[in-house]
Amino acid sequence: MSFSVPGYSPSFKKPPETLRLRRKRVRSLGADLSPREWLEPAPRRAALAAGLPLRPFPAAAGRGGSPGTAGRNPFACLDNRPRAAAEPSEVPPSDQQQAPGPFSDSNRENDLVWGEKFSERTAVTELFQPSHRSLSKSDIPSSQSTELPADWSIKTRLLFTSSQPFTWADHLKAQEEAQGVIQHCRAKEVTLPQSIQDPKHSTELRCAFQQSLIYWLHPAFPWLPLFPRIGADRKMSGRTSPWSDDETLQHVLMSDWSVSFTSLYNLLKTKLCPYFYICTYQFTVLFRAAGLAGSDVITALISPTTRGIREAMKNEGIEFSLPLIRESGHEKKKTSGTSLEHGEEQAISDEDEEESFSWLEEIGVQDKIKKPDILSIKLRREKQEVQMDHRAESVVLVKGTNTFTLLNFLINCKSLIATSGPQAGLPPTLLSPVAFRGATMQMLKARSVNVKTQALSGYKDQFSLEITGPVMPHSLYSVTTLLTSSQNGSFSAGLYTHEPTTVFNICPPMDQVLDKETLREELANCGLPLKTLDQLSQTPVLGKSSLRNVEMSDYVYDWKS
């Protein structure tokens, strides 16, 4: 007959083996044992002999045990969790230990079993401390302000939640949709009250919402998802692509794309376009007009890059820098894009080598240590350059007139287009907040959902608004500004970022502080409302991170990145 002891495990033996040992010991010691000890397993008897406090054996209560403990439920409160070492032990006084309840001894027994293994578990859990520490709230930068910082990353999805409905964002009338398009094309500034009592019947709010969802795209193929392009092979697989094997069609598409790209750059140069993105299957490029992000010249950020792309840019004479890499003087000369003669480069390498080992002569051990040769030094530097490929640290910054050289480089770069796979022969995607030659007007997809969530007093209504598509910085600012009025200054948002563009929030080196009024005059015709322009003119503060969570309460933002 087998007996179960809750919370007790005899050395993790298999049940048949345990029962066999019990029967063998009972037969050998049956004559010397009392009826009560007959029912006790050998490990339990050894624990009792050592003075360990254990709960009475369950069968003993049913067979001659005290009637007071027979009717108690041993499973009413079972706590098998390990106790921390800092917690005070809950040991009853000595006068109460003689009459223990059915769970107090069980918990002590469980503590003994867990206590033996808890030190081993803590040693294992300490290995995972850094990962948990990186997710703690204290390490996540956050801030409270009446306005959000500028976020230059592209969002793929916005999810807003609020205690008030978003029904005003659904089923726009034909007149409201047309008015929103006109307001977008004319960059009309919309001023809304701080709080809207009836958002569903507010025509101004609905037109402004339509205006904030518009963006411009090239090329446009309705059956193909053209954003994001990095890692999009799975989404594009199986789609019709007639240009993949037709070189003539590829040439036509690339020629048309070059015209659109040149048109966008000319608009940017004349400050009629604030910024635009180029999304390829390998990297993403952000062009910004002079005056945005605290820079007084045109800037272009490329991320992520590889050593091959950087070498090709150097060969074309493009001067660039790596903002996230602390470069030495020699590395700055090399990344400047100017080609050095072999003799000059050799002289620089020799000079650096002499400076590196000059301290050995000071201590008099220069003859005992073998100096590395030029080839090993060069291989070490190349290894460091390759290690940062496809990382945030590989971001490249191009400024001023070098952006025009970058324009020609991208148009003639053969590696800009994939040669195999679902994206073969497909030109990169151009995204812009304003119209340009060959562009197609597109709309971000928005839908509202009402759900029931569990609360303390039952269920309550939870309303959400989901926006999907390439959400650019101006759209993010416009939508959050509209929700401030429509939701009475109370909502929360989850922002999903296209990770390769997160690093676009780094602060470029600034030569001078720009005047706000001068910027407004110069960029007045860039196609953005003045409030949006003021926000994007701020110096980036997010660094290598981007906005992830935004919560507004009483018209005050609390954001985390």
Side-chain angles (χ1 to χ4, degrees):
M1 181 176 181
S2 62
F3 303 96
S4 62
V5 181
Y8 185 80
S9 179
S11 302
F12 296 98
K13 294 180 180 179
K14 296 182 179 180
E17 184 181 354
T18 304
L19 295 176
R20 195 178 303 113
L21 289 174
R22 288 181 183 176
R23 294 193 189 99
K24 183 178 180 181
R25 291 174 182 173
V26 168
R27 290 194 195 99
S28 61
L29 301 175
D32 300 333
L33 296 178
S34 62
R36 179 178 180 83
E37 292 174 343
W38 234 69
L39 301 174
E40 300 282 359
R44 186 175 177 83
R45 288 199 305 272
L48 290 172
L52 298 179
L54 301 179
R55 57 160 292 175
F57 196 64
R63 301 183 181 184
S66 61
T69 59
R72 302 288 295 273
N73 180 11
F75 304 103
C77 180
L78 184 62
D79 187 7
N80 288 336
R81 294 174 297 177
R83 298 175 183 269
E87 292 182 3
S89 59
E90 299 178 0
V91 180
S94 57
D95 57 345
Q96 298 179 3
Q97 289 184 4
Q98 302 301 327
F103 328 108
S104 58
D105 288 331
S106 174
N107 289 339
R108 290 194 206 103
E109 180 182 350
N110 292 330
D111 291 341
L112 291 172
V113 176
W114 279 93
E116 297 174 357
K117 304 178 182 66
F118 191 62
S119 60
E120 298 177 3
R121 293 191 178 189
T122 52
V124 176
T125 53
E126 285 176 358
L127 297 176
F128 299 95
Q129 285 298 105
S131 61
H132 292 298
R133 203 170 294 145
S134 63
L135 297 177
S136 62
K137 291 185 178 180
S138 60
D139 293 342
I140 300 176
S142 62
S143 179
Q144 292 185 353
S145 174
T146 55
E147 285 193 4
L148 289 175
D151 190 347
W152 289 98
S153 63
I154 306 178
K155 309 297 180 183
T156 58
R157 181 171 175 253
L158 307 179
L159 182 61
F160 298 94
T161 57
S162 176
S163 58
Q164 301 184 18
F166 292 95
T167 52
W168 54 268
D170 292 333
H171 308 296
L172 298 180
K173 299 178 182 178
Q175 184 178 359
E176 294 171 341
E177 185 175 349
Q179 184 65 28
V181 173
I182 294 299
Q183 290 178 185
H184 167 79
C185 295
R186 297 176 180 176
K188 183 180 179 181
E189 187 88 39
V190 179
T191 303
L192 298 175
Q194 187 179 24
S195 177
I196 300 177
Q197 300 300 326
D198 189 7
K200 190 174 182 179
H201 296 89
S202 175
T203 303
E204 292 183 354
L205 174 64
R206 292 160 66 88
C207 292
F209 183 67
Q210 170 76 9
Q211 176 183 356
S212 64
L213 299 180
I214 297 176
Y215 67 96
W216 298 84
L217 173 77
H218 179 88
F221 303 106
W223 67 92
L224 277 181
L226 294 174
F227 179 85
R229 295 292 296 272
I230 298 178
D233 288 352
R234 182 177 299 180
K235 293 183 179 180
M236 289 188 177
S237 61
R239 307 293 179 93
T240 304
S241 52
W243 51 82
S244 58
D245 298 325
D246 192 341
E247 293 185 1
T248 303
L249 185 55
Q250 290 181 14
H251 179 74
V252 172
L253 290 176
M254 194 59 195
S255 177
D256 193 25
W257 181 86
S258 301
V259 172
S260 298
F261 182 22
T262 307
S263 170
L264 258 180
Y265 183 83
N266 291 335
L267 291 172
L268 188 83
K269 188 177 180 180
T270 55
K271 298 183 179 181
L272 298 177
C273 173
Y275 64 90
F276 66 90
Y277 294 88
I278 304 175
C279 304
T280 74
Y281 77 104
Q282 285 185 314
F283 55 86
T284 306
V285 188
L286 168 61
F287 280 85
R288 287 187 294 219
L292 294 186
S295 177
D296 58 339
V297 294
I298 299 176
T299 58
L301 288 168
I302 310 174
S303 174
T305 63
T306 61
R307 181 170 176 266
I309 295 175
R310 296 190 294 270
E311 289 293 336
M313 292 173 63
K314 292 177 188 177
N315 296 334
E316 291 294 326
I318 301 174
E319 297 183 6
F320 62 87
S321 62
L322 301 172
L324 298 182
I325 302 295
R326 294 183 177 180
E327 301 169 333
S328 63
H330 167 57
E331 289 172 337
K332 284 183 180 179
K333 290 179 182 180
K334 291 200 69 177
T335 55
S336 63
T338 57
S339 58
L340 298 175
E341 296 295 335
H342 180 71
E344 296 179 0
E345 188 173 352
Q346 183 75 20
I348 293 175
S349 300
D350 295 341
E351 182 182 352
D352 290 347
E353 186 181 356
E354 291 177 0
E355 292 177 358
S356 302
F357 296 98
S358 59
W359 63 276
L360 295 176
E361 298 179 0
E362 297 177 1
I363 61 177
V365 295
Q366 69 275 10
D367 298 331
K368 298 180 181 180
I369 298 178
K370 182 181 179 181
K371 299 180 181 180
D373 55 359
I374 298 177
L375 181 60
S376 60
I377 295 176
K378 185 177 180 180
L379 291 175
R380 191 183 303 116
R381 287 173 179 168
E382 291 180 355
K383 182 180 179 181
Q384 293 175 354
E385 290 182 3
V386 172
Q387 284 178 346
M388 70 177 182
D389 288 354
H390 303 291
R391 293 185 177 183
E393 289 75 12
S394 66
V395 62
V396 164
L397 172 63
V398 183
K399 300 175 63 177
T401 56
N402 288 282
T403 56
F404 181 74
T405 312
L406 178 63
L407 164 74
N408 295 325
F409 169 76
L410 293 176
I411 290 177
N412 299 315
C413 182
K414 294 183 178 179
S415 61
L416 199 68
I417 301 176
T419 57
S420 61
Q423 302 189 56
L426 184 62
T429 302
L430 299 175
L431 294 173
S432 171
V434 299
F436 58 95
R437 185 172 177 180
T440 304
M441 178 184 289
Q442 300 289 334
M443 295 280 299
L444 298 174
K445 297 180 181 179
R447 67 186 186 100
S448 62
V449 180
N450 304 337
V451 296
K452 294 283 186 179
T453 57
Q454 192 171 4
L456 296 176
S457 58
Y459 290 89
K460 67 176 183 179
D461 291 328
Q462 185 73 24
F463 305 97
S464 64
L465 175 66
E466 182 185 36
I467 299 177
T468 57
V471 184
M472 289 183 281
H474 74 285
S475 295
L476 177 61
Y477 176 79
S478 301
V479 171
T480 52
T481 303
L482 294 179
L483 295 185
T484 302
S485 300
S486 64
Q487 309 306 118
N488 295 329
S490 178
F491 66 88
S492 60
L495 313 179
Y496 299 81
T497 306
H498 182 46
E499 291 303 328
T501 63
T502 301
V503 75
F504 289 160
N505 288 314
I506 62 173
C507 180
M510 295 178 293
D511 298 331
Q512 60 181 352
V513 179
L514 304 178
D515 182 60
K516 187 176 180 180
E517 295 299 328
T518 305
L519 285 178
R520 279 196 167 194
E521 294 178 1
E522 294 179 352
L523 296 171
N525 299 321
C526 71
L528 294 180
L530 291 180
K531 291 183 179 180
T532 307
L533 184 61
D534 292 340
Q535 202 246 5
L536 297 181
S537 301
Q538 300 174 4
T539 303
V541 297
L542 296 175
K544 292 192 295 182
S545 60
S546 63
L547 293 177
R548 306 286 179 176
N549 295 285
V550 175
E551 185 172 354
M552 170 170 271
S553 179
D554 295 332
Y555 298 95
V556 176
Y557 286 109
D558 184 9
W559 52 268
K560 295 179 181 179
S561 60

